[in-house]
Amino acid sequence: EEGNIKSYESMKRFIDAALSDPHIEQMLLQPYTAGSNLTTAWHRMVTLESMGSDNGIVFKIARVFRNIHKRKDPQGRIAYNIADAKCKNQINLATLFCGKYRLGEKLHQSRTCMVFLAERTNENRRGSGRDIAADKIATAVTKKNID
């Protein structure tokens, strides 16, 4: 596919315009045959290294459709699991807090702060992989807010 397309610029412009269409997610997940495999446009896209360019097509789609990376194709494969490393990185940047935390349940909320349980998702982590990502989320809780 990359050999057949000299530039992805026209595709990028199309994606930017199409993301405002309310039916684009359905279109991305519509099954079609690629060679001998039944897949979707989204699942095919995430397997191509060239689609994982910085702030490219995969990033933009994952940013708008926050859970599309969890969707399965007709073969039962989850898009994130079959994605190229560059595409996985772009999906993480688009969907994770600070590019590395998957937010869980809310543990605390005050007028100026929210604290969530967060799971660190980078592969080079140490420890249990579960952290509270409280720093940098909001301003410090003042004594007035605690009372």
Side-chain angles (χ1 to χ4, degrees):
E1 286 157 349
E2 186 175 353
N4 296 335
I5 300 173
K6 299 287 186 219
S7 170
Y8 285 106
E9 287 308 311
S10 60
M11 188 182 293
K12 288 178 184 178
R13 285 193 301 275
F14 169 76
I15 291 292
D16 288 341
L19 286 176
S20 62
D21 184 322
H23 303 291
I24 191 68
E25 185 175 16
Q26 291 172 336
M27 292 167 52
L28 287 168
L29 296 170
Q30 184 69 35
Y32 81 97
T33 303
S36 61
N37 295 323
L38 189 61
T39 190
T40 70
W42 170 246
H43 287 78
R44 181 70 184 123
M45 241 185 261
V46 298
T47 62
L48 300 173
E49 178 182 3
S50 59
M51 293 290 177
S53 61
D54 292 343
N55 296 323
I57 296 167
V58 168
F59 175 84
K60 291 175 183 178
I61 292 171
R63 190 74 168 165
V64 172
F65 305 110
R66 298 294 247 194
N67 290 315
I68 196 168
H69 64 286
K70 298 175 184 176
R71 302 292 295 270
K72 293 180 181 180
D73 70 359
Q75 297 179 41
R77 301 176 302 171
I78 296 172
Y80 187 82
N81 293 348
I82 64 170
D84 171 78
K86 285 186 177 182
C87 291
K88 276 186 181 181
N89 184 51
Q90 291 303 306
I91 291 169
N92 287 342
L93 290 173
T95 61
L96 300 177
F97 180 74
C98 294
K100 61 182 168 183
Y101 294 102
R102 188 165 324 286
L103 298 181
E105 74 175 287
K106 188 186 315 179
L107 300 176
H108 168 77
Q109 181 174 353
S110 70
R111 190 173 55 83
T112 59
C113 177
M114 291 192 307
V115 178
F116 291 87
L117 185 64
E119 180 180 358
R120 189 185 312 238
T121 60
N122 61 347
E123 282 92 38
N124 296 325
R125 66 181 182 252
R126 290 186 181 167
S128 69
R130 297 185 69 84
D131 295 315
I132 296 177
D135 60 324
K136 310 286 187 209
I137 291 177
T139 57
V141 178
T142 63
K143 182 178 183 201
K144 179 181 174 187
N145 292 337
I146 294 173
D147 295 336

